[in-house]
Structure formats: structure tokens, C-alpha cells
Amino acid sequence: PIAARDIFAQSIDRESHLGKALALFTIEPRTKANLTEARQLLAALTHEDPDDNYGIAATYYLARLNEAHADKPDHHAAITTYRHLLVEHRGHPLAELAAPKLAILLLYEDVSPETWEKHYAEIDTLLPTLQTAAAQRDTRLVMADALFKLRQDHARAFPLLKFCEEADLVYRITRQSVLLQQLAESARVLGLIPEARQYYTRYLKEFPREAASEEIQRRLTALEVEATP
């Protein structure tokens, strides 16, 4: 990363300034000086032109800096910026990187049940506006995980997961195995027994050596026993 930073420093165009800022993010150990310089570079890019690809990317990474890399994370500033990106640059692939990040910040914030539902509704309303497959997938997966962990709400989580499965949006093998487990369990809890059996069977066929396969087989057997007259 240090060599990359030196190369980028030799150029003054917007692409190299963005590249230098991102290189500063990766230098270990992360120092306050490097993060301050990265923030200055990103802020300059957004000031020069907030609407081209580099300006949009810089705005996104400023939010990431506020969210995860600052000495004192500023989630409120990150949320404000993510919302701005999704409104002002609707459908732009770089801006849509903000969607799952916004979902994480809103859905895992320590708020009252009423406020949590408002946050959930905001993200749910956002879904039809998303154009990229990655944003559609990742935002739904964040929502489903939050529903499982915080609300034990299989009824709302199941269609989110099923959308990802039916649209073939999940490519990573490890995430596919989790997706099939979650679909099977939600279907079972919701009384959708044929679908639960289908997902359990698929899991065993596609991931026979996974650690969870023995437990999945027990659950599938139990369903088949229950269905026997």
C-alpha cells in the first residue's frame, strides 16, 4: 500500500486522488494522520464535483470513514450521507453501495420498537428503487438477519430470503449454505412443510460435508416422520 500511495501521489487527476485516499485506508497500522489526509482528499473530490463517479465514490467513502474508521465514529453523519446518496443518485451503482450500510446502521441502532419499525419501513420502501443485483441482495440479507436476530420474525424474513434465492443473487458458497438453512428453518416455523423439506434436501445435496449437515438430516427426518400417516 505504501508504494501504491507514492505512485498515486505523482498524479493530480481525480482518479489518482481517490486511489490515494483508499490506499491511505489500507496502510497498517491505521494512523490518525493517514485518515485525516484521506478525509481531506475525499472532501476535495466531493467539493470539486459531487456528481461524477469520483465524487459519488468519495461521498460514500467519507460516510464509511465516519461510520467505521474515525477515532469517534459518527453514525448520524454516516446515515445522513447514505440517505443523501440514495436520494440524489438513485440507481447509480456506487451510490447503491450505501443501501446495505444504511440498513445495518438503522436496524441495529438501539431504539424503541416503534422507532425500529419506522427504520425498517424506510429500508423496505427503498428496496424497489434499487437497480443493482448486489444492492438488492445485500440489503435484503441485512434485513432478514436483523429480523431473525432482533425480532424472531420469520414471516417477514422468509420472502426476503426467497427473493434472493429465486433470483439467484447469492453466489458465495458459504452464504448459499446459510441461505438454505435460513429458508428451511423459516419455512418449517411458518408451517410450509413441503418447502422446508425441499430446502433441507437441497442443503444436504449441495453441502453434504458441512458441519450442520447431520443436524439438517435430523430435522428433515423429523419432518418426514411427522408427515407419515
Side-chain angles (χ1 to χ4, degrees), residues 87 118 186:
V87 170
K118 289 179 182 178
S186 287

Side-chain angles (χ1 to χ4, degrees), residues 209-225:
R209 295 181 178 84
E210 289 288 317
S213 60
E214 187 175 339
E215 176 61 26
I216 296 297
Q217 181 62 68
R218 279 198 294 267
R219 295 181 184 183
L220 175 59
T221 300
L223 287 180
E224 291 172 343
V225 169

Side-chain angles (χ1 to χ4, degrees), residues 118-134:
K118 289 179 182 178
H119 287 174
Y120 183 88
E122 176 181 343
I123 302 301
D124 192 47
T125 302
L126 180 66
L127 290 179
T129 73
L130 300 176
Q131 301 300 308
T132 64

Side-chain angles (χ1 to χ4, degrees), residues 12 25 41 75 119 148 179 189:
I12 59 172
F25 272 40
L41 287 166
H75 287 177
H119 287 174
F148 286 137
L179 177 65
V189 170

Side-chain angles (χ1 to χ4, degrees), residues 56-69 74-90 94-106 122-123 126:
I56 295 171
T59 302
Y60 170 76
Y61 284 108
L62 277 171
R64 291 289 294 141
L65 192 59
N66 285 325
E67 177 188 354
H69 300 292
D74 188 344
H75 287 177
H76 176 73
I79 287 170
T80 299
T81 303
Y82 290 146
R83 283 171 169 160
H84 167 82
L85 282 169
L86 292 164
V87 170
E88 296 300 320
H89 304 288
R90 179 171 293 186
L94 292 171
E96 288 194 353
L97 294 172
K101 301 301 184 185
L102 178 62
I104 290 171
L105 288 178
L106 290 181
E122 176 181 343
I123 302 301
L126 180 66

Side-chain angles (χ1 to χ4, degrees), residues 1-57:
I2 293 175
R5 180 182 64 177
D6 292 339
I7 293 172
F8 287 132
Q10 296 171 7
S11 179
I12 59 172
D13 64 21
R14 288 172 64 74
E15 182 177 6
S16 67
H17 283 174
L18 177 62
K20 181 180 179 182
L22 298 186
L24 287 165
F25 272 40
T26 67
I27 295 175
E28 295 291 349
R30 288 196 177 101
T31 66
K32 186 174 182 179
N34 284 341
L35 294 178
T36 297
E37 185 179 356
R39 184 183 292 277
Q40 291 170 345
L41 287 166
L42 295 171
L45 287 167
T46 60
H47 178 74
E48 291 166 4
D49 185 352
D51 298 323
D52 72 352
N53 287 344
Y54 303 113
I56 295 171

